Amino acid sequence: LPQVAKLMATNDISALPACDDSGTPIGMISEGDLLHSFGKRHGLRRSWWLSVLADSDRLTQLLADHVRSDRRCARDLMTTPVVSVSRSTGIGAIAGLLLRHHIKRVPVVDNGKIVGIVSRADITYALAQHPEALNDERHTRRRGGDSPLG
């Protein structure tokens, strides 16, 4: 778990896909997955991270110690099965999956391999730039970077 946390921090991301040896996605692990047990262990309410901000020295050290000492692996905490989409999945369909499965991001898979990840922020940005994207088929495939999704 310290390696997972370091990857997230180093790359400024909030989740990672977990893949088997062939690169096929088998789960997703998020900051929430890493931190859930810390909140439970210390009897913290759902928005416990506010306590870290308010009492940063004590809780930050406890959190760092918790992550370093946790001997579980990504497979112990990751969310399975993987909910994924293809390159041709439309923005509306992706948004529906996120809502239906109560997830914040979804991997884009091509031939069994992850080729990207679409997050709620990506959808928000794309729709802010191209509101017609929900009904316009030309924004359902990833193209050279017009927007995160279009």
Side-chain angles (χ1 to χ4, degrees):
L1 294 183
Q3 292 169 314
V4 171
K6 184 175 182 175
L7 274 171
M8 288 180 190
T10 301
N11 293 288
D12 194 26
I13 56 176
S14 59
L16 293 167
C19 299
D20 64 16
D21 291 337
S22 70
T24 301
I26 57 172
M28 291 290 289
I29 186 162
S30 70
E31 291 171 332
D33 297 326
L34 289 175
L35 303 176
H36 179 72
S37 62
F38 175 79
K40 284 177 76 171
R41 177 186 287 177
H42 295 282
L44 301 172
R45 66 189 184 282
R46 183 179 175 129
S47 58
W48 65 266
W49 57 271
L50 292 173
S51 301
V52 172
L53 296 175
D55 187 11
S56 62
D57 292 338
R58 182 179 70 84
L59 283 176
T60 300
Q61 187 59 50
L62 285 172
L63 177 58
D65 292 344
H66 173 79
V67 171
R68 279 193 288 270
S69 66
D70 197 331
R71 296 295 169 226
R72 292 175 294 174
C73 296
R75 75 176 154 267
D76 300 322
L77 299 179
M78 68 186 184
T79 300
T80 60
V82 175
V83 175
S84 64
V85 298
S86 71
R87 290 177 188 253
S88 62
T89 306
I91 294 172
I94 295 171
L97 280 173
L98 296 180
L99 289 170
R100 191 167 40 262
H101 293 280
H102 305 286
I103 55 178
K104 297 177 182 176
R105 65 202 55 81
V106 62
V108 180
V109 177
D110 187 17
N111 292 321
K113 307 293 184 243
I114 295 177
V115 295
I117 294 179
V118 176
S119 70
R120 293 184 304 183
D122 295 328
I123 291 172
T124 301
Y125 178 81
L127 292 176
Q129 299 299 311
H130 304 281
E132 73 284 0
L134 280 175
N135 299 317
D136 187 345
E137 189 60 30
R138 67 190 175 98
H139 289 281
T140 62
R141 293 185 183 270
R142 184 159 181 92
R143 298 177 312 172
D146 296 333
S147 75
L149 299 177

